[in-house]
Amino acid sequence: MLCVLQALTRQLEEALERAFPEGAAAARASGASLDPQLAPASKPEFGDFQANGALALARPLQQPPRAVATAIVEQLAADPAFTALCLPPQIAGPGFINLTLRPEALVAEVASRLADSRLGVPLAGAAAAVGGSGTAPDAGGAAGIVAPSPPAEPVIVDFSSPNIAKEMHVGHLRSTIIGDCLARVLAFRGHAVLRLNHVGDWGTQFGMLITHLKQVAPEALTTADAVDLGDLVAFYRQAKQRFDEDEAFQTTAREEVVKLQAGDPVSRRAWQLLCDQSRREFQLIYDRLGIDLQERGESFYNPYLPAVVADLETTGLLVTDEGARCVFLEGVSGKEGKPLPVIVQKSDGGFNYATTDLAAIRYRFAAAPAGDGACRVIYVTDAGQASHFAGVFQVARRAGWIPEDRRLEHVPFGLVQGEDGKKLKTRSGDTVRLKDLLDEAVERADADLLRRLEEEGRQEDEAFIRHVATTVGLAAVKYADLSQNRTTNYQFSFDRMLALQGNTAPYLLYAVVRIAGIARKGGNGGAAGDLQFSEPQEWALVRHLLGFDAVIAEVEEELLPNRLCTYLYELSQVFNRFYDQVPVLKAPPEARAARLALCHLTADTLKLGLGLLGIPTLERM
Ligand code: ARG
């Protein structure tokens, strides 16, 4: 109900202006305005919204808060637009104004959502019109005036980003799931989203790997598919061990990196093959999870590294310290209170992870076509990289690479732990392979389903069982991850994530299935003219349904997918309470049509919400 909130805010501001013209003028003169502080009601018994501004305005207006509130309410009563929207306001406590929407206003909102595939969520940049949600992208066309659309400034979501020749681990899975959800929400809001996979495809690991493979498995460097990723990971481990122990190997490996970075054709070809091999394995995971990503690895920024150094030199930020060229951070100090540096170029002339990220920021904000011209850049990685990003963000800001009003954000997340509260490991103590983890989720969902079919005496064919088990298993993994506040560590538990009860994917998927069943028997219900509600459970469901747009706006702003999960979970609960306590299919015709319409809108909201989490729904399960 964001558009209602906006309309009410305006009406309250105007009421304040009329009630206190001198106070408003004085506020304006000092560059401020009288703020009614309108917010959604903190408790249902306070109505739909509350305006808390009277308390803060008491002092500047030199009146007791309740008198301020009373004057506002008197002015509101004289505004026909307000009285059409709200019941007479109540003044509570020291001077809070409680506002309750008229049933007709709520019904009108429900009706407009039933006819709106965006369910009231406006497109970014579209002028919010009261009563409508600004949905039709071609609305201006009808009047013959089509404003030239400004070039879309992309929002970049940098997520997943595993490393070549290393196994993709659970941390990358979290980044993939969270990043995908954020990208979906931002795209749905109408932003041009660039989903970038910043894979680790450059750097010392290739020197070690190529040197080692030349000796033990040269075919891997010249023939596609000669080794699989599992072998590659093992070779990498051996190479790393030799690198740590053997000085001669170290020297050769370093020379190998230099050759690669200088574009030596043999090294390049070997590198290409290794990357392709990893890429194919990563793609299997992305395909399974329905993840769309554009690969733009670290190597992409190689040509831009010298410009980073040159820029930092020009701005006078670069300092040479023990042979390394670095920028000392402001306001951050390490041991013994010494300022911490971001190393931009190592003493041997090499560049590192931070240099690449500096080049990436510079490129992403630079105006097209020499860069992406992004308006917002979001990085989804584990919280362990927080100080890395804080450092490079600071350097980029001081270098002047981030134009005003542009946003640069690190979206950190906690660790995935086993049920013992320690880092997730297999029983034998190895790191968990993503493929195995997803397989197990699907297998368990399959077993749960077979058990349920048996209990219910149902017969289903093989294709149905495979489809449901796959959908539920993968949904459970995604939802378990997204429903936690991402900043905390989370405990991975197959049993908990696959439970049919509680804040889980199966519970939500089941709510959708339940409503699909109702619709098969009763249809989708009435249209605008038929909507009449009388039961408290109906109104509770109406009010919850109408909160969808506000939740999406919150996720877009705060980048916390768990807000959307909580909303959907509560919606399912409110719906189940409604459906258990109020007859729908057996209701008298008028009420039946209205209630079926509520069921329909609930299903649409759940499907759209789950879709934005990257979770497809089922009609039967
Ligand atoms: N490859 C890195 C890792 O595995 C993540 C990269 C995140 N993105 C970035 N621009 N640094 O930890």
XYZ file of all heavy atoms in Angstrom, residues 158-163 169 172 175 198-200 298 353 357 360 364 379-382 385 388-389, ligand 1:
214
model
N 27.278 -8.519 -8.294
C 28.486 -9.351 -8.428
C 28.281 -10.496 -7.448
O 28.274 -10.292 -6.238
C 29.684 -8.454 -8.071
C 31.030 -9.167 -8.004
O 31.087 -10.326 -7.535
O 32.046 -8.540 -8.385
N 28.007 -11.698 -7.979
C 27.711 -12.802 -7.059
C 28.213 -14.136 -7.587
O 28.679 -14.226 -8.722
C 26.218 -12.853 -6.732
C 25.303 -13.287 -7.869
C 24.741 -14.552 -7.878
C 24.976 -12.418 -8.894
C 23.877 -14.957 -8.893
C 24.110 -12.805 -9.911
C 23.561 -14.072 -9.918
N 28.157 -15.128 -6.734
C 28.637 -16.492 -6.993
C 30.168 -16.494 -7.048
O 30.823 -16.878 -6.102
C 28.027 -17.073 -8.262
O 28.301 -18.459 -8.311
N 30.739 -16.096 -8.175
C 32.176 -15.837 -8.304
C 33.110 -16.878 -7.687
O 33.931 -16.556 -6.828
C 32.492 -14.444 -7.714
O 31.655 -13.472 -8.284
N 32.990 -18.136 -8.127
C 33.928 -19.160 -7.645
C 35.296 -18.993 -8.301
O 35.477 -18.093 -9.129
C 33.278 -20.466 -8.103
C 32.476 -20.091 -9.310
C 32.023 -18.673 -9.096
N 36.221 -19.847 -7.914
C 37.578 -19.754 -8.451
C 37.880 -20.927 -9.360
O 37.565 -22.072 -9.042
C 38.572 -19.711 -7.293
C 38.304 -18.524 -6.393
O 38.107 -17.408 -6.870
N 38.256 -18.767 -5.099
N 32.446 -23.989 -3.336
C 32.061 -24.488 -2.010
C 30.754 -23.876 -1.512
O 30.101 -23.111 -2.220
C 33.202 -24.303 -1.007
C 33.687 -22.883 -0.907
N 32.906 -21.873 -0.395
C 34.867 -22.305 -1.258
C 33.587 -20.739 -0.426
N 34.782 -20.975 -0.965
N 30.148 -20.242 -1.848
C 29.738 -19.811 -3.186
C 28.264 -20.122 -3.430
O 27.581 -19.398 -4.137
C 30.604 -20.487 -4.254
C 32.044 -20.081 -4.196
N 33.056 -20.991 -4.049
C 32.640 -18.862 -4.227
C 34.219 -20.352 -4.014
N 33.986 -19.058 -4.116
N 26.344 -17.319 -1.835
C 26.451 -16.126 -2.673
C 25.553 -16.262 -3.906
O 24.879 -15.313 -4.310
C 27.908 -15.928 -3.098
O 27.997 -14.902 -4.046
N 32.232 -12.804 -11.121
C 33.624 -12.329 -11.040
C 34.505 -13.522 -10.674
O 35.063 -13.597 -9.575
C 33.672 -11.245 -9.959
C 34.941 -10.459 -9.868
N 35.197 -9.346 -10.628
C 36.030 -10.604 -9.072
C 36.380 -8.839 -10.299
N 36.906 -9.585 -9.361
N 34.619 -14.473 -11.599
C 35.348 -15.706 -11.253
C 36.841 -15.418 -11.074
O 37.415 -14.548 -11.731
C 35.166 -16.832 -12.309
C 33.732 -17.319 -12.351
C 35.603 -16.383 -13.676
N 37.444 -16.163 -10.164
C 38.879 -16.045 -9.923
C 39.606 -16.821 -11.008
O 39.832 -18.025 -10.890
N 38.193 -12.137 -13.280
C 39.260 -11.197 -12.920
C 40.136 -10.842 -14.128
O 40.600 -9.709 -14.265
C 40.130 -11.812 -11.819
C 39.399 -12.008 -10.501
C 40.292 -12.602 -9.413
O 41.523 -12.654 -9.604
O 39.748 -13.028 -8.379
N 44.356 -9.441 -5.807
C 42.883 -9.443 -5.736
C 42.333 -8.025 -5.569
O 41.371 -7.632 -6.242
C 42.500 -10.339 -4.550
C 41.034 -10.588 -4.325
C 40.214 -11.082 -5.343
C 40.461 -10.365 -3.066
C 38.868 -11.332 -5.106
C 39.113 -10.629 -2.829
C 38.322 -11.101 -3.848
O 36.991 -11.353 -3.613
N 39.924 -5.669 -7.986
C 38.658 -5.095 -7.543
C 38.632 -3.577 -7.727
O 37.579 -3.004 -8.020
C 38.348 -5.492 -6.095
C 37.379 -6.679 -6.055
O 36.515 -6.757 -6.941
O 37.503 -7.525 -5.143
N 37.896 -3.085 -11.266
C 36.495 -3.427 -11.541
C 35.572 -2.275 -11.132
O 34.665 -1.902 -11.872
C 36.115 -4.712 -10.807
N 33.219 -0.284 -13.648
C 31.768 -0.406 -13.496
C 31.072 0.944 -13.388
O 29.934 1.093 -13.819
C 31.460 -1.291 -12.278
C 31.837 -2.738 -12.549
C 31.853 -3.595 -11.312
N 32.228 -4.974 -11.650
C 32.246 -5.979 -10.796
N 31.921 -5.762 -9.532
N 32.601 -7.172 -11.198
N 27.973 -6.326 -4.041
C 28.846 -7.494 -3.973
C 28.299 -8.467 -2.942
O 28.108 -8.077 -1.789
C 30.253 -7.103 -3.524
C 30.975 -6.189 -4.481
C 30.673 -4.832 -4.525
C 31.951 -6.682 -5.344
C 31.327 -3.988 -5.401
C 32.613 -5.847 -6.224
C 32.296 -4.504 -6.257
O 32.938 -3.671 -7.127
N 28.072 -9.698 -3.338
C 27.555 -10.686 -2.402
C 28.663 -11.691 -2.076
O 28.984 -12.549 -2.901
C 26.332 -11.423 -3.005
C 25.685 -12.313 -1.963
C 25.321 -10.425 -3.558
N 29.274 -11.530 -0.924
C 30.304 -12.500 -0.494
C 30.191 -12.729 1.004
O 29.472 -12.006 1.699
C 31.756 -12.024 -0.748
O 32.130 -11.102 0.281
C 31.939 -11.391 -2.105
N 30.948 -13.680 1.514
C 30.947 -13.956 2.950
C 31.481 -12.751 3.722
O 32.248 -11.940 3.187
C 31.798 -15.189 3.237
C 33.240 -14.965 2.805
O 33.517 -15.057 1.612
O 34.076 -14.654 3.686
N 35.100 -11.142 3.953
C 35.721 -10.211 3.011
C 35.322 -8.756 3.281
O 35.603 -7.873 2.467
C 35.340 -10.594 1.566
C 35.806 -12.003 1.205
C 35.867 -12.246 -0.296
O 36.174 -11.345 -1.068
N 35.590 -13.469 -0.706
N 38.224 -6.328 3.259
C 38.722 -6.166 1.885
C 37.880 -5.122 1.149
O 38.409 -4.179 0.547
C 38.696 -7.508 1.150
C 38.753 -7.389 -0.353
N 39.919 -7.091 -1.026
C 37.780 -7.482 -1.305
C 39.665 -7.022 -2.331
N 38.383 -7.261 -2.520
N 36.553 -5.300 1.210
C 35.693 -4.372 0.467
C 35.708 -2.971 1.069
O 35.730 -1.983 0.341
C 34.273 -4.924 0.347
C 34.168 -6.020 -0.684
C 33.925 -7.328 -0.321
C 34.370 -5.733 -2.032
C 33.870 -8.342 -1.271
C 34.310 -6.732 -2.996
C 34.059 -8.040 -2.616
N 36.430 -15.318 -6.052
C 36.162 -14.750 -4.756
C 36.077 -15.870 -3.711
O 35.940 -17.018 -4.042
C 34.877 -13.949 -4.707
C 34.848 -12.731 -5.620
C 33.808 -11.739 -5.198
N 33.745 -10.607 -6.059
C 34.650 -9.616 -6.123
N 34.493 -8.649 -6.984
N 35.705 -9.616 -5.328
O 36.107 -15.579 -2.542
